[in-house]
Amino acid sequence: MNDSAPAPAPRRARVRAPELIGKGGWLNTGGDDLTLADLRGKIVLLDFCK
């Protein structure tokens, strides 16, 4: 009988997302530019349609 636990899966390197910057600016933010830190923990809807 083998009592050893299975080896844990290797951890993947964390990759930081780039800031969301576009030539159109942010919509519906009251003129404020937002950073990813401002959006952390919030639900965000992105619309890439023209």
Side-chain angles (χ1 to χ4, degrees):
M1 190 174 205
N2 188 356
D3 291 331
S4 63
R11 294 189 69 158
R12 293 184 182 190
R14 294 187 115 186
V15 177
R16 288 194 175 267
E19 289 294 331
L20 301 171
I21 301 171
K23 62 181 177 179
W26 288 90
L27 301 176
N28 301 324
T29 62
D32 296 335
D33 288 335
L34 300 174
T35 65
L36 290 180
D38 297 330
L39 301 174
R40 179 174 223 123
K42 296 182 172 66
I43 296 173
V44 178
L45 174 66
L46 302 176
D47 183 359
F48 292 102
C49 297
K50 265 190 163 180

